[in-house]
Amino acid sequence: MAGSKTPDTPLEAQTEHARLVEQIRAHDERYYQEDAPVVSDAEYDALRKRLVEIEAKFPELVTAESPTQKVSGGVSEKFAKARHGVPMLSLDNAFDREDVSDFVGRVRRFLNLKDEEIAFTAEPKIDGLSCNLRYEKGKLVLGATRGDGEVGENVTANVTTISEIPHTLKGRNIPDLIEIRGEIYMSHADFRALNERQEKEGKPVYANPRNSAGGSLRQLDPKITAARNLHFFAYAWGEASSEPSDTQFGFVELLASWGFATNPLMKRVTSMDEMLAYHREIGEVRATLGYDIDGVVYKVDRIDLQRRLGFVSRSPRWAIAHKFAAEQAFTVLNDIDIQVGRTGKLTPVAKLEPVTVGGVVVSNATLHNEDFIHGVDSRGNPVRDGNDIRIGDTVVVQRAGDVIPQIVRVVVEKRPKDAKPYTFPTVCPACGSHAVREEGESDRRCTGGLVCPAQAVERLRHFVSRNAMDIEGLGEKQIQAFYDWGLVREPADIFTMERREEGSLSRLKNREGWGEQSAANLFKAIEEARRRQVHRVVFGLGIRHVGDINAKRLMRHYRTIDALRAAALAACPPEDGNRADKGNDEWQELTSVSGIGDIVAHAVVDFFQEPKNEKALSALLDELTPEPMEEAAQDTAVAGKTVVFTGTLERMTREEAKAQAERLGAKVSGSVSKKTDIVVAGPGAGSKLKQATDLGVTVMTEDDWLSLIGQH
Ligand code: IVH
């Protein structure tokens, strides 16, 4: 293939030549007739380049049928054929500075220029489909696709629906007969909207704006074309009864004056440096244009020089396309790797057969999450085109700017027969703990917070932070260093560090940044931390959704970590989706703690039920003698009373009222029963108020309540 040695023997050459011709023919058909390519432009270009190399070495293989001698395209039987007045040709490609320099050198040599300056136009190369528009006496009489370059498809009815194609030309210097050429394209915004509509209607989505422009133009019903909002940039002429202009630049200005849309980025340049600078500048604004371009085109500006330069086989000598490094490429997905982030999130990464994309070799791409691989999100909506991604699949990778490479499409046609749907792991690949996915979330997370090496540094940093264990002298930097030195791997290690190895203190103090005094201060701070309040320890465990407030709520209720752990181990959440199931008593109790809902309760249960956390937690608790939380007040008017809030509270939020009541020793409940002591009813109170009156429970207003607790 491209890049490898050209064949030595005529037989080898003939075999490879025949294979390339067939491949190119098949790709042309998919591209031009079906608007559904299966290889990238770069891969296609490589096949053609290889063919040119072989034909250069074995000229006897060049026949009139060779793709090097013909313009690709071809016409569909759907449309009447239309012969172009003058053939529509193709452009040679340049990929780097050297190719551009060769082009300029060829032009100068051919024209025998000495030191004279030569001007070129430079303009974006629109990634659409070229079109030939025939005007007679200023009236549009024929619109045709490029086809094979000689004969295209008659799509007059379709092109007349494009607002940027005038039906009548106005202005000066309009030849009696002129063929106007340009590019029909679709904007990114219209492309996205079209694909969304197609998807909703269960129709196939288009791979890219160029294919969708092709598909939209080549419709038997022009009303469909009309609804697709296609655009057109005019840039050249074909047959003409008189020469409209003597420069390329002047001609494009004329086109604009006749009523065509022309590309505002066209420029006149007179040196290699200017050409390359233009290529760079357009590359930089490429992503902001709102339509696809795949390079820039340089054209000799003077028409008389263009005429002298003429053509070689399928392309003019006076123009060249300077392509951008392809931003998309086809490659094979060899494997899927699961990476665990610092917070326990499992991210799938595509291991790709290395491929050059946008000038960089790409071998990894993000796969985002489980749903992205499955092609369906948790609500059942399709992701991408709804196809799942399997190991062995051929995929399209995209790399735009500095963005992490993405997989934009799966080529399902190329899927190996034995490819199996990917099963996302439910255990963490870094530590073997369970990895769970919460309802409504797209990420799966490791629950082994205390033991997972991928999360260790982040967890330790959180564990010692201000609102948790608050160990002075042990910040992010020190934790990282201790981890790297192997001194601390999990929370308990912080407390065993000093005694673990004799001389640990001296080991530390000889390390960079540690002196005798700072080491002694650190160990003193660690000693003090053994008696931190219990809710700080719980917060420090880093249980998902258990911030310092929820840690307080839990500990106010359970008092000790052992009690919380026992409850979490015994708790049995209701089975998914089963409304009648309310879980067991421990679950009921856990979710009745004020402020603790199902999501938090699930996270607590997941954490304690993960066996890997058990060992680390026991080791930690062996080292600590946590202070209990301050007792709820005993001597207040509401201590020991069960209170229910109902209706709207006007002076504080329900949450705040609950927390305050609990601080004052009251128990807050969500339902009224015989055990209820007080119901605080605001405006809008309904059934609970009625129940209270029926049961003879004391009912009061928010203001009454506030005076009762001395807040008035
Ligand atoms: S000039 C003699 N200018 O690129 C060739 N072509 O790869 C005249 N294209 O078939 C073509 N933008 O479809 C020209 N600004 C531009 C272009 C452009 C896109 C297309 C056109 C052509 C193909 C060649």
Side-chain angles (χ1 to χ4, degrees):
M1 253 300 301
S4 61
K5 204 164 120 314
T6 46
D8 291 323
T9 69
L11 187 65
E12 273 170 22
Q14 199 183 3
T15 316
E16 192 180 343
H17 187 271
R19 205 186 66 226
L20 287 167
V21 168
E22 175 48 29
Q23 281 178 333
I24 292 168
R25 193 204 56 71
H27 289 319
D28 280 348
E29 189 173 313
R30 296 220 42 142
Y31 182 111
Y32 291 104
Q33 252 94 71
E34 297 165 28
D35 297 312
V38 290
V39 291
S40 66
D41 289 1
E43 271 181 84
Y44 176 81
D45 288 345
L47 292 176
R48 289 199 84 107
K49 194 168 167 224
R50 178 71 175 172
L51 195 67
V52 170
E53 279 167 18
I54 293 178
E55 290 186 354
K57 200 165 166 190
F58 298 94
E60 67 275 17
L61 294 173
V62 183
T63 66
E65 289 310 300
S66 167
T68 59
Q69 305 304 304
K70 293 198 311 186
V71 171
S72 303
V75 292
S76 149
E77 295 299 319
K78 282 204 302 196
F79 295 93
K81 295 192 167 91
R83 179 167 291 277
H84 309 308
V86 164
M88 290 179 83
L89 295 149
S90 195
L91 289 172
D92 264 348
N93 290 328
F95 295 99
D96 52 24
R97 185 192 172 91
E98 207 185 322
D99 293 346
V100 177
S101 159
D102 287 351
F103 163 70
V104 176
R106 268 198 312 275
V107 167
R108 297 191 72 92
R109 262 196 316 282
F110 194 93
L111 297 172
N112 206 9
L113 299 180
K114 298 275 167 334
D115 302 324
E116 306 92 302
E117 197 177 78
I118 176 156
F120 296 87
T121 59
E123 60 196 271
K125 183 173 188 301
I126 315 300
D127 201 4
L129 55 145
S130 51
C131 177
N132 187 30
L133 306 169
R134 192 175 173 92
Y135 288 87
E136 290 175 7
K137 302 220 176 328
K139 292 260 180 292
L140 176 65
V141 296
L142 176 70
T145 63
R146 181 168 75 161
D148 65 2
E150 311 264 345
V151 177
E153 296 147 319
N154 182 334
V155 287
T156 315
N158 307 66
V159 298
T160 52
T161 69
I162 299 173
S163 63
E164 282 161 343
I165 294 183
H167 296 188
T168 311
L169 305 183
K170 330 183 259 296
R172 58 187 176 86
N173 289 351
I174 301 170
D176 272 356
L177 162 70
I178 185 158
E179 287 179 334
I180 304 299
R181 286 161 184 191
E183 206 78 359
I184 292 179
Y185 66 97
M186 187 180 274
S187 73
H188 288 161
D190 287 330
F191 167 67
R192 276 193 296 270
L194 170 63
N195 264 357
E196 272 169 30
R197 278 203 308 277
Q198 293 279 108
E199 211 170 278
K200 269 209 198 98
E201 294 165 15
K203 295 183 185 153
V205 294
Y206 290 103
N208 55 47
R210 180 190 57 208
N211 296 131
S212 67
S216 302
L217 182 67
R218 298 154 83 252
Q219 292 281 341
L220 287 177
D221 179 1
K223 283 207 228 56
I224 299 181
T225 311
R228 298 282 173 89
N229 198 25
L230 295 173
H231 293 272
F232 179 75
F233 276 133
Y235 52 64
W237 82 80
E239 189 182 356
S241 54
S242 61
E243 201 151 277
S245 168
D246 53 13
T247 63
Q248 177 69 30
F249 201 87
F251 178 63
V252 173
E253 285 179 334
L254 203 54
L255 281 171
S257 78
W258 291 348
F260 287 100
T262 57
N263 196 296
L265 298 170
M266 184 176 79
K267 227 174 127 172
R268 213 163 155 272
V269 292
T270 53
S271 70
M272 265 279 289
D273 283 348
E274 276 185 303
M275 289 162 127
L276 297 173
Y278 182 81
H279 183 262
R280 204 170 40 246
E281 283 159 23
I282 298 297
E284 280 162 12
V285 298
R286 179 181 185 187
T288 65
L289 296 179
Y291 52 87
D292 274 355
I293 62 173
D294 58 344
V296 301
V297 184
Y298 310 121
K299 299 172 189 169
V300 170
D301 191 34
R302 272 171 51 183
I303 305 294
D304 60 328
L305 299 184
Q306 285 188 4
R307 187 143 300 130
R308 274 172 61 194
L309 284 155
F311 300 86
V312 231
S313 64
R314 57 195 270 274
S315 12
R317 260 195 216 94
W318 46 264
I320 198 156
H322 187 182
K323 293 282 202 86
F324 293 129
E327 291 193 325
Q328 283 197 350
F330 285 70
T331 189
V332 173
L333 175 67
N334 288 332
D335 204 358
I336 295 177
D337 223 25
I338 303 288
Q339 291 179 357
V340 189
R342 296 200 315 162
T343 57
K345 183 177 143 187
L346 268 55
T347 304
V349 177
K351 301 311 243 181
L352 304 167
E353 191 57 36
V355 63
T356 308
V357 194
V360 172
V361 177
V362 170
S363 47
N364 294 325
T366 176
L367 288 167
H368 305 282
N369 55 46
E370 203 165 343
D371 293 345
F372 189 82
I373 298 179
H374 291 161
V376 205
D377 72 13
S378 50
R379 268 167 272 117
N381 298 320
V383 175
R384 292 180 314 279
D385 50 4
N387 288 315
D388 68 329
I389 298 177
R390 302 184 185 184
I391 293 170
D393 268 341
T394 295
V395 293
V396 179
V397 264
Q398 175 168 298
R399 188 187 153 274
D402 293 333
V403 182
I404 313 169
Q406 315 272 329
I407 288 189
V408 292
R409 189 159 70 85
V410 179
V411 187
V412 184
E413 294 90 329
K414 290 202 176 177
R415 171 168 289 170
K417 281 206 178 56
D418 57 351
K420 298 200 178 49
Y422 179 75
T423 320
F424 203 90
T426 51
V427 292
C428 171
C431 72
S433 301
H434 290 99
V436 299
R437 186 170 165 183
E438 287 173 9
E439 211 178 306
E441 290 247 327
S442 46
D443 296 319
R444 196 171 274 280
R445 288 173 187 277
C446 167
T447 56
L450 293 183
V451 291
C452 184
Q455 303 172 64
V457 171
E458 184 66 15
R459 292 307 180 128
L460 289 166
R461 194 195 57 68
H462 171 78
F463 182 72
V464 300
S465 66
R466 178 74 62 83
N467 288 335
M469 300 303 277
D470 191 19
I471 303 179
E472 205 168 317
L474 202 48
E476 200 163 339
K477 219 175 79 204
Q478 292 81 12
I479 283 288
Q480 183 70 58
F482 288 0
Y483 187 84
D484 293 344
W485 297 336
L487 283 175
V488 173
R489 285 284 145 101
E490 54 174 73
D493 296 346
I494 294 172
F495 300 96
T496 58
M497 182 160 63
E498 193 179 7
R499 69 161 188 270
R500 209 176 323 135
E501 303 166 52
E502 236 182 294
S504 166
L505 175 65
S506 59
R507 264 182 53 179
L508 187 57
K509 77 182 184 224
N510 291 329
R511 300 265 186 176
E512 198 188 331
W514 291 95
E516 187 146 355
Q517 192 57 48
S518 55
N521 286 347
L522 174 68
F523 290 129
K524 193 162 152 259
I526 291 174
E527 276 314 300
E528 278 167 16
R530 290 183 197 271
R531 294 186 309 275
R532 282 286 173 268
Q533 281 181 302
V534 68
H535 65 272
R536 287 170 162 266
V537 181
V538 171
F539 171 58
L541 296 178
I543 304 168
R544 192 154 159 78
H545 301 302
V546 179
D548 51 357
I549 295 188
N550 279 343
K552 276 186 195 156
R553 287 170 170 156
L554 287 167
M555 294 329 289
R556 201 171 282 130
H557 185 91
Y558 288 103
R559 313 302 300 167
T560 68
I561 297 178
D562 279 331
L564 173 65
R565 171 165 59 177
L569 286 174
C572 202
E575 253 177 70
D576 285 346
N578 182 353
R579 281 169 181 280
D581 184 359
K582 295 203 157 55
N584 63 359
D585 288 354
E586 283 79 4
W587 174 263
Q588 280 292 306
E589 181 176 346
L590 181 57
T591 50
S592 75
V593 175
S594 140
I596 306 296
D598 279 10
I599 292 179
V600 184
H602 264 291
V604 170
V605 168
D606 285 341
F607 179 89
F608 286 100
Q609 291 193 353
E610 172 50 56
K612 308 243 174 197
N613 286 334
E614 174 62 23
K615 225 175 106 220
L617 183 63
S618 299
L620 174 65
L621 294 181
D622 284 349
E623 297 299 321
L624 306 181
T625 43
E627 296 271 329
M629 269 184 86
E630 71 274 12
E631 287 286 330
Q634 293 294 316
D635 52 355
T636 71
V638 296
K641 298 249 158 54
T642 300
V643 186
V644 173
F645 292 95
T646 183
T648 314
L649 298 183
E650 290 168 312
R651 306 205 177 243
M652 54 183 138
T653 63
R654 178 81 58 105
E655 232 5 59
E656 214 181 327
K658 273 185 177 180
Q660 190 184 44
E662 282 171 350
R663 255 198 323 275
L664 296 170
K667 240 180 145 173
V668 178
S669 168
S671 55
V672 178
S673 72
K674 276 189 291 203
K675 289 192 207 150
T676 312
D677 297 298
I678 303 169
V679 169
V680 181
S687 63
K688 287 181 194 171
L689 175 57
K690 188 175 173 301
Q691 260 174 309
T693 359
D694 290 351
L695 291 166
V697 173
T698 311
V699 175
M700 56 177 73
T701 63
E702 189 180 2
D703 281 345
D704 295 338
W705 166 257
L706 289 173
S707 22
L708 178 65
I709 61 173
Q711 293 283 311
H712 223 42

